[in-house]
Amino acid sequence: LRMDPLVAAIDQGTSSTRFLVFNTKTAEIVCQHQVEINQSFPKEGWVEEDPQEIIQSVYECIERTCEKLAQLNVDVSSIKAVGVTNQRETTVVWDKETGVPLYSAIVWLDLRTQSTVENLINKAPGKDKNHLKHKTGLPISTYFSAVKLRWLLDNVDEVRQAVLSGRAMFGTVDSWIIWCLTGGSSGGVHCTDVTNASRTMLFNIHTMDWDSELCSYFDVPMEILPTIRSSSEIYGYLVSSCLGDQSAALVGQMCFEEGQAKNTYGTGCFMLKNTGTTPVISDHGLLTTVAYKLGRDVPACYALEGSVAIAGAVVRWLRDNLGIIKSSAEIETLAATAGTSYGCYFVPAFSGLYAPYWEPSARGIICGLTQFTNKSHLAFAALEAVCFQTREILDAMNQDSRVPLAQLQVDGGMTSNRLLMQLQADILGVTVVRPTMSETTALGAAMAAGAAEGVNVWNLRSSHLPKVTCEMYEPQINTDESEFRFARWKKAVQRSMNCSMTPTSKQKTLQPNWHLKSHIGIKDLTYFDILNRPLGSCCRLFHKCLK
């Protein structure tokens, strides 16, 4: 079957991998396949994924999608380019000779580097977490890749030895995927793009290159870093774009004009506002990041970003940890049965608080509970939490730019939840605009791949951009009610601060001097061990003690 040129995108997110094929003339999805990714939580605050599982999921998605294309009688050769978009900051180190990862991928949400961050901040003048912001646009935080890499160098012998012997390669997930797809240990291309590089804390957003002073600050050897490329150029066979997922969504939402903004609702929640070719340094807790660079000889565009760690992940937590829903889609129906949180407020600070607080010691809390509270109120409070966190970002963005947003463009998996979208409009007090085709992250990667020099099957000039149909959500509650609910939420946020149970460099693990320890055969049982055990496990443990 002959058809318009096709462009595909690998969308490797925190919770799943997808391969989607788009028609370059209509921007419609022709075919796709998705595979869920397993996360592991070895210790409190640790979040890991298997790099081998990630790349195998990419291969599986490509293979299954090509089979579906054949069933549609579409020739696979119609695919003219492939773009890559990825979960950002997630850190992988592998052996360039064997192609084997040297440790699990440390996911962007991970908090194990809290003491590493403290040490880095302590050596900054005035112990200022924004000491490097003039170069990086970022605060020193557990979020970014350099501190994860520093942890690996300090704690994993295999990584340290591979660096010393010149065999180590560092990269975010995009680098790992592109290296594997372009040959791996047989000549794979070790590269990243400017959007992903700008999330490492090793990249200077003004010079658009790795910075020797930043690498020295983190004591990271520059030889293990990937080559930096633009977001839209041919890297290797078929692969011709690379964008961090939030930058890809900005492109997919066609926010090419200064002042345009989008919010993506995925595992986390990320609002980006295009600030043009000039980086704007935030005074209100936002990040300055590279939005995109669509060609080697094209100027980079920048964005202000507000990052929320937990959005869709709170729904997954209600499903997997509490079991109050069987599938993520059920939360809309469950929350709608209550229609209100009935004074219950949920701060899902499972990985600390990101923008605008940057407070790693915060932990999740649920407050305002009464005997009347049930699971439907809790579900509603979880959805409200996503909206309240977005409101905090929007307020900070309006303060930094001094031009309030009149409407917010949204995308991501959670936007299929109409209750959430209406709640968001009510809490923001602005119109929420949702494209009916919500796969804008993959679309952005496909657009950049198709527009790359040497491919040229997708025209990104404004007159050639596809028209997208949208759903509009207008605020339906009065401002006073919205402000009252938001003020209560802010009080709950303050209560979530400084609740971390994880020992930091300033804390010693508590060692209870219980005579019972010898009876249960555990030499190093700590207060934290007890707290982190499931209730049933604790009961069995103390039953054993009593015997």
Side-chain angles (χ1 to χ4, degrees), residues 3-7 21-31 252 254 435-440 443-444 446-447 457-460 464-469:
M3 61 186 310
D4 295 326
L6 306 178
V7 176
V21 179
F22 293 88
N23 183 309
T24 58
K25 302 302 180 189
T26 64
E28 293 174 340
I29 298 172
V30 177
C31 198
M254 300 170 215
T436 51
M437 198 290 287
S438 63
E439 301 293 349
T440 52
L443 176 60
M447 290 166 64
V457 295
W458 208 313
N459 192 328
L460 297 186
H464 287 75
L465 293 174
K467 303 299 179 187
V468 178
T469 57

Side-chain angles (χ1 to χ4, degrees), residues 429-493:
V430 301
T431 303
V432 169
V433 182
R434 173 192 176 271
T436 51
M437 198 290 287
S438 63
E439 301 293 349
T440 52
T441 301
L443 176 60
M447 290 166 64
E453 184 179 352
V455 181
N456 303 116
V457 295
W458 208 313
N459 192 328
L460 297 186
R461 288 199 298 270
S462 57
S463 58
H464 287 75
L465 293 174
K467 303 299 179 187
V468 178
T469 57
C470 297
E471 290 179 355
M472 313 280 279
Y473 294 85
E474 304 287 351
Q476 292 182 354
I477 65 173
N478 65 54
T479 306
D480 289 344
E481 183 183 347
S482 175
E483 291 300 321
F484 173 78
R485 285 157 63 179
F486 184 54
R488 295 283 291 270
W489 153 264
K490 297 272 279 187
K491 287 182 179 179
V493 169

Side-chain angles (χ1 to χ4, degrees), residues 65-197:
T65 303
C66 288
E67 288 173 0
K68 291 176 183 179
L69 285 173
Q71 290 168 9
L72 294 171
N73 199 26
V74 175
D75 194 336
V76 174
S77 66
S78 298
I79 299 174
K80 302 304 180 187
V82 176
V84 174
T85 181
N86 57 286
Q87 52 172 311
R88 303 171 302 169
E89 300 94 19
T90 297
T91 299
V92 185
V93 179
W94 66 95
D95 187 315
K96 67 182 177 184
E97 294 177 7
T98 65
V100 176
L102 298 169
Y103 193 76
S104 299
I106 301 180
V107 176
W108 57 275
L109 282 166
D110 190 280
L111 282 177
R112 76 188 65 191
T113 54
Q114 198 166 329
S115 60
T116 306
V117 167
E118 287 178 11
N119 293 334
L120 290 164
I121 292 173
N122 284 338
K123 75 175 186 177
K127 298 183 178 180
D128 180 11
K129 67 183 174 185
N130 293 315
H131 172 59
L132 306 175
K133 200 171 183 179
H134 67 289
K135 281 190 173 185
T136 65
L138 314 170
I140 301 172
S141 163
T142 59
Y143 186 13
F144 306 109
S145 307
V147 292
K148 302 179 197 302
L149 177 55
R150 183 67 259 151
W151 187 92
L152 287 167
L153 291 166
D154 289 339
N155 293 279
V156 182
D157 284 338
E158 291 86 349
V159 171
R160 198 160 43 242
Q161 292 303 319
V163 169
L164 291 172
S165 61
R167 294 179 292 107
M169 283 183 162
F170 154 80
T172 41
V173 171
D174 57 303
S175 299
W176 168 240
I177 290 172
I178 293 171
W179 185 79
C180 290
L181 289 178
T182 56
S185 56
S186 303
V189 177
H190 187 214
C191 71
T192 189
D193 89 302
V194 291
T195 68
N196 281 293

Side-chain angles (χ1 to χ4, degrees), residues 47 58 292 310 527:
V47 189
V58 171
Y292 50 79
I310 303 295
Y527 174 65

